[in-house]
Each structure stands twice: as structure tokens, then as C-alpha cells.
Amino acid sequence: MINVAIDGPSGAGKSSISREAARRLGFIYVDTGAMYRAAAVFVMQRRIDPDDAERIGSILPMLDIELRYENGEQKVYLCGENVSRVIRTREVTRCAPIVSAHPKLRQCLSDMQQEMAQKNNIIMDGRDIGTVVLPNADVKIFLTASPEVRAQRRYKEMCEKGMDVTYEEVLSDIRERDYYDENKPISPLRPAKDSILIDTSELDFEHSVQLVVDTVKGHVGL
Ligand code: DC
């Protein structure tokens, strides 16, 4: 099986670029961020304190996350329930980093991710895919863009949705998230030693996707 790991900071366009690159290559796209978000919903539904490592550890055997493909779109199911929309809410976005700091939960999701990678040609995106989950991936890409460019893109998206924010607020959130991701004690965000750096600051979506597709093809001889 061909395994492609794509890591990088939030807002670099990882998910949309990975999804489209996977479609063009005919690979399955695995969004590990969506799995951590579903795990956050699992904890929230049971009204468990997201900092309570012990209780979270005790319910892990019941955690059942499935990524299904319906009309070419990835849907996330938690214990049989479609949570694709709820995982994108602000509450879940706030809870996911807390829940994802627990080593036992990370191990549980990492096992699920490794199983998917054994069975399929995949592009898997996240924060620790090339470093921890798939250290032997055929291709490792670290996809990034400057904080200013990421903030600008995110700001534009939020304005289009009618949200009331300033560019400065969005930039400050991005810097805060970067600091947290790069300094967390477990699985901090950093490029794997053998990863290929792709900086999309100066690239539009189409060029970014094409560069990822060409990089994968060049490495695995497709
Ligand atoms: O990429 P995202 O915003 O959907 O990720 C949701 C949360 O999960 C975010 O707090 C980072 C975390 N995450 C993680 O710890 N490890 C991963 N492989 C992917 C996401």
C-alpha cells in the first residue's frame, strides 16, 4: 500500500489540499483532525471533564469512530451516529486540543489510523503522522504557509460566512495555536526529518494540489 503523510500547522490548507490530491491520485483521504474532533464529541456527550485522563482512558474501549465515503465525501461516524457537522462547531474546536493531549487516547486513534493505512493507498493528514503514526510512510510532506498568509485566508473565509472578526484577532489566534501545537509535551508539531517542505504562502490552491500530486508521483514512481 502507498502511504502519504501530510503534517503542518492549522490553516495551511492541509485538509482541502490533501482531499483533492487524494481524489486525483485515486487514494483514500484520512482526516485525523476529524477523528480527534469526534473523540472530543464522545467525551462531551458523556459530560466528562476533557482534562480527566483517567475517565477518558476508561471509556476508550467504547470509542468507535468510522470514516465513511458517501458520494465521494468523507463523513465521520461516532458509535454509528453521523457527527460530520457537529465536529466543526466552536465548542468541539475548543475541546479537541484538550482531549487530544491524552496519551492513551492518542494511542487508540493512532492504532485506528495505522490499520487504515495498512489496508488502503492513503493520504493521511494531521500533526504527527510522519513523526509518530506512519514513521515509514512512502512520502512525508510538511505543508505550511506563513502565519500572516494563513490568517488572511482564514479571515476571508470567516468574513464570507458573515462572522464578526478582525484580521488581528485571527492572526493572534493562529499564533497562539502554533505556539500550543509546537510546544505541547506529547506529539508536538514538527517536520519529520525525512519530510519534504511545501510552503503554500505564494501558491494558490490549484498549484498547491498539483505540487503535492507531483511530489507523490515523483517519489513512488506512479
Ligand atoms: O486539524 P484540525 O483542526 O481538524 O484538528 C483538530 C484537533 O485535533 C486540533 O486540536 C489538533 C488535534 N490533532 C492532533 O492532535 N493530532 C492529529 N494528528 C490531528 C489533529
Side-chain angles (χ1 to χ4, degrees), residues 37 41 44 84-95:
R37 287 167 180 270
V41 174
M44 289 161 80
S84 313
R85 284 174 78 95
V86 74
I87 60 168
R88 302 294 164 195
T89 57
R90 285 189 75 190
E91 291 72 22
V92 175
T93 302
R94 269 199 293 264
C95 185

Side-chain angles (χ1 to χ4, degrees), residues 32-34 36-37 88 96-97 100 106 126-129 177 184:
T32 64
Y36 281 95
R37 287 167 180 270
R88 302 294 164 195
S100 67
R106 295 201 74 82
R127 307 290 193 286
D128 60 343
I129 309 307
R177 278 236 249 170
K184 60 186 181 180

Side-chain angles (χ1 to χ4, degrees), residues 3-5 113-114 117 122 124 128-130 132-137 140:
N3 289 178
V4 180
Q113 291 154 7
Q114 286 171 350
I122 49 130
M124 186 177 285
D128 60 343
I129 309 307
V132 177
V133 181
L134 303 176
N136 298 319
K140 297 181 187 178

Side-chain angles (χ1 to χ4, degrees), residues 34-35 37-43 45-46 59-68 75-84 86-87 108-109 112:
M35 297 173 73
R37 287 167 180 270
V41 174
F42 183 67
V43 169
Q45 281 176 341
R46 282 161 184 74
I59 58 167
L60 288 179
M62 273 113 71
L63 178 61
D64 167 25
I65 297 173
E66 205 189 330
L67 301 180
R68 291 189 204 160
K75 302 276 187 233
V76 185
Y77 282 79
L78 172 65
C79 304
E81 181 195 349
N82 184 348
V83 292
S84 313
V86 74
I87 60 168
C108 176
L109 293 199
M112 292 182 197

Side-chain angles (χ1 to χ4, degrees), residues 153-167:
R153 289 178 188 159
R154 182 94 187 98
Y155 173 64
K156 190 166 162 261
E157 256 171 42
M158 291 169 102
C159 288
E160 281 165 8
K161 285 186 191 157
M163 293 162 82
D164 182 22
V165 283
T166 65
Y167 167 75

